Amino acid sequence: MSPAGLAKLRTACIIRGAMERLKIGVLGSGKGSNFRAILAAIAGGRLEVEPRIVMSDHADAGILALAREAGIAHAVICEPSFRTKLSPEIEKRVVADLRKAEVELVVLAGYMRMIKAPLLEAYSRRIVNIHPSLLPAFPGLEAWKQALEAGVSETGCTVHFVDAGMDSGEVIAQRTVPIHEGDTAALLHARIQVAEHDLYPAVLARFCDGEIT
Ligand code: GRF
């Protein structure tokens, strides 16, 4: 191993402790294909994180079923009052659950609500998200459709830190995806998701080895 590699490894060991895995909490609202990719990377020895809890605002979300199958603690977030965010009281309960599970990094994987002060303050610069475009282009919903409508020749996906804005936090990594003649929204989204499933575990691995702090 190169001197630079050794230095990086030493830093990672100091930061994490030799055998300790980064404890993550995963929030998602949908089918959970990114979480599935994270689980596959762990199983394949490519990612040394420990998913401590999975939380979803949809009781029937696929991501919860995946957590159940994998024997990972999971919980439903019940928010009767708002659709696009959590009330402060409920978000505080989410923070309490994450802390109880000793979560160090919050991983948003298709979580469809804005993150507000209770969680942002409790996990400052420790919340990451994956978005299906090359941010800052096409923030918000159905970014692949926005890209098709804009007539651009390529789009992609972005892993970024989460701040109070809509997909506006600091970019950590991006992957470019081509747009082909005759692409439908479904085809393009599927192609972006293939890139996401590669990019998200790879970025989390960079947190584990101390490259991103
Ligand atoms: C992904 O396309 C991600 O970019 C966006 O939500 C989708 C989640 O998909 N934030 P999945 O639930 O991980 O399959």
Side-chain angles (χ1 to χ4, degrees):
M1 188 180 282
S2 70
L6 268 176
K8 201 179 278 175
L9 186 62
R10 254 196 310 272
T11 315
C13 289
I14 291 163
I15 293 169
R16 306 253 7 102
M19 300 300 288
E20 208 183 326
R21 286 174 171 244
L22 180 69
K23 300 181 184 80
I24 63 168
V26 182
L27 266 55
S29 306
K31 65 183 191 289
S33 67
N34 279 283
F35 179 53
R36 187 190 291 278
I38 290 168
L39 290 176
I42 297 169
R46 287 173 282 120
L47 179 60
E48 301 208 327
V49 299
E50 183 186 348
R52 300 281 296 190
I53 187 164
V54 175
M55 304 179 84
S56 178
D57 53 343
H58 290 283
D60 56 355
I63 196 166
L64 287 178
L66 281 173
R68 206 173 299 125
E69 279 164 28
I72 296 165
H74 49 279
V76 179
I77 305 165
C78 294
E79 171 56 80
S81 312
F82 302 102
R83 255 179 354 102
T84 58
K85 63 175 185 175
L86 297 178
S87 60
E89 300 69 37
I90 292 181
E91 204 174 76
K92 277 180 201 159
R93 262 186 255 159
V94 170
V95 169
D97 285 348
L98 292 169
R99 283 193 168 138
K100 198 166 155 208
E102 300 178 348
V103 166
E104 299 165 291
L105 181 73
V106 178
V107 174
L108 305 186
Y111 182 66
M112 300 305 285
R113 293 176 192 251
M114 298 289 288
I115 304 294
K116 295 293 177 185
L119 185 48
L120 279 177
E121 283 165 16
Y123 280 89
S124 169
R125 211 180 149 84
R126 288 191 296 147
I127 309 172
V128 293
N129 181 42
I130 187 151
H131 181 78
S133 78
L134 296 174
L135 290 171
F138 314 128
L141 293 177
E142 300 190 316
W144 59 93
K145 282 191 188 164
Q146 296 184 49
L148 274 182
E149 279 157 20
V152 292
S153 60
E154 58 181 28
T155 181
C157 53
T158 303
V159 177
H160 63 95
F161 285 108
V162 173
D163 65 11
M166 166 85 80
D167 304 317
S168 58
E170 183 189 331
V171 169
I172 300 170
Q174 295 186 308
R175 193 64 58 83
T176 301
V177 172
I179 298 180
H180 299 319
E181 186 95 23
D183 258 351
T184 60
L187 275 174
L188 179 56
H189 189 206
R191 194 177 307 122
I192 294 171
Q193 285 225 291
V194 172
E196 289 184 342
H197 300 161
D198 192 46
L199 182 66
Y200 218 179
V203 169
L204 295 179
R206 287 171 59 197
F207 276 93
C208 297
D209 67 19
E211 215 179 290
I212 307 171
T213 52

